Amino acid sequence: MVNVSLPDSGLQILKPFEFTNAGRRMPVPLGARRLLAFLALQNDWVDRTSTAEHLWPACTPFRAAANLRSALCQSRRAATYTVIDSSDQRLKLAPSVRVDFHEMREAARRTIEGPVPRTEDWNRLVGDLSRELLPGWTEDWLDLERQWWDQLRLYALESLAQQLRNDHQYLDALQAALAAIAVDPFRETPHRTAMEIHIAEGNIASAIKRYHDYRAFLQRELGVTPSRQMTDLLHAVLEKRLVGGAAHIDGVGR
């Protein structure tokens, strides 16, 4: 039988872990923290045995099961109502628990699908998409989840930067592109988008500098150069600059 849950609790797993109950930050033991975070990243019910094996892989099955029972008891004491639903040998985070990761996952998908509403708080959205998933945690079961989140927020930040550039909101667009670069400095798309933003606002020298900084970084770290697409963008900028400079000189000569 599924346990009945009541609202008014929140789980933060983007940035440092935090659990709140009735608006108050609650102390949660390590075992319960790991269990709550693990269940928050699952899309459906998960088997108890599988959960124990993921959370305590170095333990014997008997010890891992005991640790899981202890974590369940700790989670019950962390709130005034049930935050983990159970059915037979399955577990699931109660749907009434608000999880910041779930909210930002949906916000990222909406951003990718676009267009982003003009009423959106760009700085807050960029800040939220810049958050890491459980920073400082070293659990193996987090590796794929982190990779998945990083790819999703990268696409969202890049999409946001391009939408804002097209809407001539260059400062916000550049902040989104720089946030994407911070997530993955090797990825070319946000560097190229930053170049395009500089070009759109007329900062040609900044666009050229962005290209050369990225090229130097790739050469130093990987021994490779930017793609033909980014190099062609640089050549187009240089050609436009030379043509503009020649036109200016011709005008002065007359």
Side-chain angles (χ1 to χ4, degrees), residues 137-148:
W137 287 37
T138 59
E139 280 73 7
D140 291 341
W141 52 267
L142 271 175
D143 289 344
L144 287 178
E145 299 293 344
R146 283 194 175 119
Q147 293 177 36
W148 182 89

Side-chain angles (χ1 to χ4, degrees), residues 3 31 36-37 73 77 131 162 195 217 231 233 252:
N3 295 317
L36 289 169
C73 291
R77 292 194 293 267
R131 296 179 184 179
Q162 292 161 2
M195 281 185 67
F217 172 75
T231 303
L233 179 60
V252 172

Side-chain angles (χ1 to χ4, degrees), residues 28-59:
V28 181
L30 177 60
R33 287 203 303 266
R34 298 174 70 198
L35 176 58
L36 289 169
F38 179 80
L39 293 178
L41 294 172
Q42 310 308 309
N43 294 321
D44 206 342
W45 294 94
V46 290
D47 180 74
R48 280 176 176 256
T49 302
S50 175
T51 299
E53 290 175 350
H54 275 89
L55 294 179
W56 294 280
C59 295

